[in-house]
Amino acid sequence: MVGPGLYPEIGKKARDLLYRDYQTDHKFTLTTYTSNGVAITATSTKKADLIFGEIQSQIKNKNITVDVKANSDSNVITTVTVDELTPGLKSILSFAVPDQRSGKFELQYLHDYAGVSASIGLTANPVVNLSTVFGSKALAVGADVSLDTASGNLTKYNAGLSFTNDDLIASLNLNNKGDSLTASYYHVVQHSTTAVGAELTHSFSSNENTLTFGTQHTLDPLTVVKARFNNSGKFSALLQHEWRPKSAWTISAEVDTKAIEKSSKVGLAVALKP
Protein backbone atom coordinates (compact mmCIF):
# COMPACT_ATOMS: atom_id res chain seq x y z
CA MET A 1 0.00 0.00 0.00
CA VAL A 2 1.45 3.36 -1.06
CA GLY A 3 -1.07 5.78 0.46
CA PRO A 4 -2.05 6.50 4.09
CA GLY A 5 -4.73 3.79 4.23
CA LEU A 6 -7.99 3.99 6.16
CA TYR A 7 -8.53 5.54 9.59
CA PRO A 8 -8.48 2.28 11.64
CA GLU A 9 -4.92 1.67 10.41
CA ILE A 10 -3.58 4.61 12.46
CA GLY A 11 -1.80 2.94 15.38
CA LYS A 12 -2.77 -0.56 14.21
CA LYS A 13 0.77 -2.01 14.31
CA ALA A 14 1.16 -1.13 17.98
CA ARG A 15 -2.33 -2.39 18.85
CA ASP A 16 -1.66 -5.71 17.09
CA LEU A 17 1.61 -6.17 18.96
CA LEU A 18 0.06 -5.34 22.34
CA TYR A 19 -3.35 -7.02 22.07
CA ARG A 20 -3.70 -9.35 19.09
CA ASP A 21 -3.94 -13.12 19.82
CA TYR A 22 -3.95 -12.65 23.60
CA GLN A 23 -6.90 -14.47 25.14
CA THR A 24 -7.85 -16.41 28.25
CA ASP A 25 -10.58 -18.51 26.64
CA HIS A 26 -10.31 -21.82 24.80
CA LYS A 27 -10.98 -21.51 21.08
CA PHE A 28 -11.00 -24.05 18.25
CA THR A 29 -11.36 -23.08 14.58
CA LEU A 30 -11.66 -25.47 11.63
CA THR A 31 -11.80 -24.33 7.99
CA THR A 32 -12.70 -26.61 5.10
CA TYR A 33 -13.30 -26.03 1.40
CA THR A 34 -15.99 -27.56 -0.82
CA SER A 35 -15.34 -28.75 -4.35
CA ASN A 36 -16.73 -25.51 -5.78
CA GLY A 37 -14.43 -23.33 -3.66
CA VAL A 38 -16.76 -22.35 -0.81
CA ALA A 39 -14.84 -21.87 2.46
CA ILE A 40 -16.66 -23.09 5.59
CA THR A 41 -15.28 -22.14 9.00
CA ALA A 42 -16.59 -23.54 12.29
CA THR A 43 -15.54 -21.89 15.55
CA SER A 44 -16.16 -23.01 19.14
CA THR A 45 -15.16 -20.79 22.07
CA LYS A 46 -15.37 -21.80 25.73
CA LYS A 47 -15.70 -18.89 28.15
CA ALA A 48 -15.86 -20.06 31.76
CA ASP A 49 -18.65 -22.67 31.69
CA LEU A 50 -20.28 -21.32 28.54
CA ILE A 51 -19.61 -22.50 24.98
CA PHE A 52 -20.16 -20.07 22.11
CA GLY A 53 -20.36 -21.47 18.57
CA GLU A 54 -20.22 -19.87 15.13
CA ILE A 55 -20.21 -21.19 11.58
CA GLN A 56 -19.23 -19.08 8.59
CA SER A 57 -19.35 -19.69 4.86
CA GLN A 58 -17.50 -17.55 2.34
CA ILE A 59 -18.07 -17.51 -1.39
CA LYS A 60 -15.84 -15.63 -3.83
CA ASN A 61 -16.67 -14.94 -7.46
CA LYS A 62 -14.28 -12.61 -9.25
CA ASN A 63 -14.44 -9.35 -7.27
CA ILE A 64 -17.51 -10.27 -5.18
CA THR A 65 -17.25 -11.92 -1.76
CA VAL A 66 -20.25 -13.12 0.27
CA ASP A 67 -19.81 -13.97 3.96
CA VAL A 68 -22.61 -15.56 5.99
CA LYS A 69 -22.16 -16.16 9.73
CA ALA A 70 -24.54 -17.92 12.11
CA ASN A 71 -23.85 -18.14 15.83
CA SER A 72 -25.28 -19.84 18.88
CA ASP A 73 -27.23 -16.69 19.79
CA SER A 74 -29.44 -17.34 16.72
CA ASN A 75 -27.99 -14.39 14.81
CA VAL A 76 -27.27 -14.64 11.08
CA ILE A 77 -24.90 -11.97 9.75
CA THR A 78 -24.42 -11.49 6.01
CA THR A 79 -21.73 -9.32 4.42
CA VAL A 80 -21.41 -8.71 0.67
CA THR A 81 -18.18 -7.06 -0.52
CA VAL A 82 -17.59 -5.81 -4.04
CA ASP A 83 -13.94 -4.92 -4.61
CA GLU A 84 -12.51 -2.64 -7.29
CA LEU A 85 -15.75 -1.20 -8.66
CA THR A 86 -13.30 1.33 -9.99
CA PRO A 87 -9.60 1.43 -9.05
CA GLY A 88 -9.35 1.87 -5.27
CA LEU A 89 -13.11 1.67 -4.57
CA LYS A 90 -14.78 -1.02 -2.47
CA SER A 91 -18.43 -1.37 -1.40
CA ILE A 92 -19.65 -3.37 1.60
CA LEU A 93 -23.25 -4.27 2.45
CA SER A 94 -23.94 -5.96 5.79
CA PHE A 95 -27.05 -6.91 7.73
CA ALA A 96 -28.09 -9.27 10.52
CA VAL A 97 -31.19 -11.32 11.18
CA PRO A 98 -33.30 -10.89 13.30
CA ASP A 99 -31.92 -7.40 14.07
CA GLN A 100 -33.56 -5.35 11.30
CA ARG A 101 -31.75 -2.18 12.43
CA SER A 102 -28.30 -3.64 11.82
CA GLY A 103 -28.16 -3.10 8.05
CA LYS A 104 -25.31 -0.90 6.84
CA PHE A 105 -23.89 0.16 3.49
CA GLU A 106 -20.28 1.31 3.28
CA LEU A 107 -17.98 2.68 0.60
CA GLN A 108 -14.19 2.67 0.95
CA TYR A 109 -11.83 4.53 -1.34
CA LEU A 110 -8.03 4.31 -1.30
CA HIS A 111 -5.81 6.82 -3.10
CA ASP A 112 -2.09 7.52 -3.05
CA TYR A 113 -2.73 10.53 -0.79
CA ALA A 114 -6.08 9.78 0.85
CA GLY A 115 -8.26 7.08 2.36
CA VAL A 116 -12.00 7.63 2.76
CA SER A 117 -14.70 5.45 4.32
CA ALA A 118 -18.38 6.42 4.43
CA SER A 119 -21.21 4.30 5.79
CA ILE A 120 -24.92 4.72 6.43
CA GLY A 121 -27.33 2.59 8.41
CA LEU A 122 -30.24 1.13 6.46
CA THR A 123 -32.97 2.54 8.71
CA ALA A 124 -35.45 5.41 8.52
CA ASN A 125 -33.22 7.55 10.78
CA PRO A 126 -29.76 6.16 10.12
CA VAL A 127 -26.41 6.69 11.77
CA VAL A 128 -23.95 8.12 9.24
CA ASN A 129 -20.21 7.57 9.68
CA LEU A 130 -17.41 9.30 7.77
CA SER A 131 -13.70 8.79 8.24
CA THR A 132 -10.94 10.36 6.18
CA VAL A 133 -7.15 10.15 6.18
CA PHE A 134 -4.89 12.47 4.20
CA GLY A 135 -1.16 12.34 3.65
CA SER A 136 1.22 9.60 2.59
CA LYS A 137 2.53 6.33 3.92
CA ALA A 138 5.11 8.30 5.92
CA LEU A 139 2.86 10.98 7.46
CA ALA A 140 -0.92 10.88 7.75
CA VAL A 141 -3.66 12.77 9.60
CA GLY A 142 -7.29 11.69 9.85
CA ALA A 143 -10.67 12.04 11.53
CA ASP A 144 -13.59 9.71 12.27
CA VAL A 145 -17.10 11.13 12.85
CA SER A 146 -20.56 9.59 13.36
CA LEU A 147 -23.88 11.46 13.20
CA ASP A 148 -27.20 10.18 14.53
CA THR A 149 -29.71 11.68 12.08
CA ALA A 150 -32.61 10.95 14.47
CA SER A 151 -31.27 13.27 17.19
CA GLY A 152 -28.89 15.36 15.12
CA ASN A 153 -26.09 14.61 17.62
CA LEU A 154 -22.54 13.53 16.93
CA THR A 155 -22.21 10.12 18.56
CA LYS A 156 -18.49 9.83 17.79
CA TYR A 157 -15.67 12.15 16.82
CA ASN A 158 -12.06 11.01 16.87
CA ALA A 159 -8.84 12.29 15.30
CA GLY A 160 -5.48 10.68 14.63
CA LEU A 161 -1.94 11.37 13.45
CA SER A 162 0.59 8.81 12.26
CA PHE A 163 4.31 8.91 11.41
CA THR A 164 6.01 5.96 9.71
CA ASN A 165 9.56 5.24 8.61
CA ASP A 166 11.40 2.01 7.81
CA ASP A 167 11.53 0.61 11.36
CA LEU A 168 9.33 2.85 13.53
CA ILE A 169 5.64 3.81 13.58
CA ALA A 170 4.35 6.46 15.99
CA SER A 171 0.75 7.58 16.33
CA LEU A 172 -1.42 9.95 18.35
CA ASN A 173 -5.20 9.48 18.71
CA LEU A 174 -7.84 11.68 20.33
CA ASN A 175 -10.78 9.37 21.16
CA ASN A 176 -14.06 9.19 23.07
CA LYS A 177 -15.30 12.60 21.95
CA GLY A 178 -12.04 14.20 23.01
CA ASP A 179 -11.99 12.63 26.47
CA SER A 180 -8.95 10.38 25.98
CA LEU A 181 -5.59 10.86 24.30
CA THR A 182 -3.56 7.83 23.22
CA ALA A 183 0.07 7.85 22.11
CA SER A 184 1.62 4.67 20.77
CA TYR A 185 4.75 3.48 19.02
CA TYR A 186 5.94 0.33 17.27
CA HIS A 187 9.64 -0.23 16.64
CA VAL A 188 11.51 -3.04 14.91
CA VAL A 189 14.92 -3.51 16.49
CA GLN A 190 17.54 -2.97 13.80
CA HIS A 191 18.95 -6.14 12.21
CA SER A 192 16.69 -8.23 14.46
CA THR A 193 13.52 -10.30 14.46
CA THR A 194 12.36 -8.45 17.59
CA ALA A 195 9.78 -5.68 17.79
CA VAL A 196 8.80 -3.53 20.77
CA GLY A 197 5.82 -1.29 21.34
CA ALA A 198 4.05 0.85 23.92
CA GLU A 199 0.75 2.63 24.38
CA LEU A 200 -0.05 5.45 26.82
CA THR A 201 -3.66 6.58 27.27
CA HIS A 202 -4.71 9.58 29.37
CA SER A 203 -8.34 10.11 30.34
CA PHE A 204 -9.17 13.78 30.86
CA SER A 205 -12.39 13.08 32.78
CA SER A 206 -10.82 10.74 35.36
CA ASN A 207 -7.25 12.09 35.09
CA GLU A 208 -6.02 8.49 34.91
CA ASN A 209 -3.19 7.11 32.81
CA THR A 210 -2.90 3.60 31.34
CA LEU A 211 0.53 2.48 30.14
CA THR A 212 1.21 -0.82 28.35
CA PHE A 213 4.58 -2.14 27.14
CA GLY A 214 5.01 -5.11 24.83
CA THR A 215 7.51 -7.05 22.78
CA GLN A 216 7.45 -9.70 20.08
CA HIS A 217 10.23 -12.00 18.96
CA THR A 218 10.27 -14.41 16.01
CA LEU A 219 12.11 -17.54 17.11
CA ASP A 220 11.94 -19.02 13.61
CA PRO A 221 9.73 -18.48 10.53
CA LEU A 222 6.95 -20.54 12.18
CA THR A 223 7.19 -19.58 15.87
CA VAL A 224 6.51 -16.28 17.65
CA VAL A 225 6.63 -15.32 21.34
CA LYS A 226 5.03 -12.18 22.75
CA ALA A 227 4.85 -10.51 26.16
CA ARG A 228 3.25 -7.38 27.61
CA PHE A 229 2.98 -5.57 30.93
CA ASN A 230 0.80 -2.67 32.04
CA ASN A 231 0.86 -0.22 34.93
CA SER A 232 -1.98 -2.03 36.71
CA GLY A 233 0.40 -4.96 37.27
CA LYS A 234 -0.95 -7.42 34.72
CA PHE A 235 1.63 -9.48 32.82
CA SER A 236 0.70 -11.54 29.75
CA ALA A 237 2.67 -13.82 27.45
CA LEU A 238 1.93 -16.06 24.49
CA LEU A 239 3.57 -18.63 22.28
CA GLN A 240 2.29 -19.20 18.75
CA HIS A 241 3.46 -21.91 16.36
CA GLU A 242 2.34 -22.46 12.78
CA TRP A 243 2.99 -26.10 11.90
CA ARG A 244 1.55 -25.74 8.40
CA PRO A 245 0.39 -22.74 6.31
CA LYS A 246 -2.49 -20.95 8.11
CA SER A 247 -2.74 -23.69 10.74
CA ALA A 248 -1.46 -22.70 14.16
CA TRP A 249 -1.84 -23.15 17.90
CA THR A 250 -1.51 -20.34 20.43
CA ILE A 251 -1.03 -20.63 24.19
CA SER A 252 -1.43 -17.43 26.20
CA ALA A 253 -1.37 -16.69 29.93
CA GLU A 254 -2.14 -13.71 32.15
CA VAL A 255 -0.96 -13.05 35.71
CA ASP A 256 -1.92 -10.20 38.04
CA THR A 257 1.40 -9.43 39.76
CA LYS A 258 -0.43 -7.42 42.44
CA ALA A 259 -2.57 -10.42 43.37
CA ILE A 260 -0.34 -13.46 42.94
CA GLU A 261 -2.58 -15.48 45.25
CA LYS A 262 -5.24 -15.46 42.56
CA SER A 263 -4.97 -18.19 39.94
CA SER A 264 -3.50 -17.19 36.61
CA LYS A 265 -5.55 -17.34 33.44
CA VAL A 266 -4.50 -19.57 30.55
CA GLY A 267 -5.99 -19.63 27.07
CA LEU A 268 -5.57 -22.01 24.14
CA ALA A 269 -6.48 -21.37 20.52
CA VAL A 270 -6.16 -23.89 17.69
CA ALA A 271 -6.82 -23.02 14.03
CA LEU A 272 -6.84 -25.73 11.37
CA LYS A 273 -6.88 -25.13 7.63
CA PRO A 274 -6.31 -27.73 4.91
Side-chain angles (χ1 to χ4, degrees), residues 63-64 81-92 105-108:
N63 64 332
I64 300 176
T81 304
V82 182
D83 206 357
E84 295 293 323
L85 291 169
T86 62
L89 183 64
K90 176 190 293 187
S91 68
I92 303 170
F105 179 70
E106 180 179 1
L107 286 175
Q108 296 178 355

Side-chain angles (χ1 to χ4, degrees), residues 176-253:
N176 300 323
K177 300 181 180 180
D179 180 64
S180 63
L181 183 66
T182 298
S184 66
Y185 88 96
Y186 170 89
H187 177 60
V188 178
V189 180
Q190 192 174 13
H191 306 304
S192 173
T193 55
T194 301
V196 295
E199 180 184 81
L200 173 63
T201 298
H202 175 75
S203 172
F204 295 103
S205 60
S206 64
N207 199 31
E208 293 182 350
N209 295 317
T210 303
L211 178 62
T212 305
F213 291 101
T215 184
Q216 172 180 307
H217 179 69
T218 302
L219 296 176
D220 58 56
L222 301 176
T223 309
V224 174
V225 292
K226 296 173 66 174
R228 73 179 182 197
F229 184 78
N230 64 25
N231 63 333
S232 65
K234 290 186 177 180
F235 173 79
S236 302
L238 72 79
L239 172 66
Q240 185 175 78
H241 178 70
E242 185 177 5
W243 72 87
R244 57 181 296 178
K246 298 182 180 181
S247 293
W249 55 259
T250 304
I251 298 177
S252 56

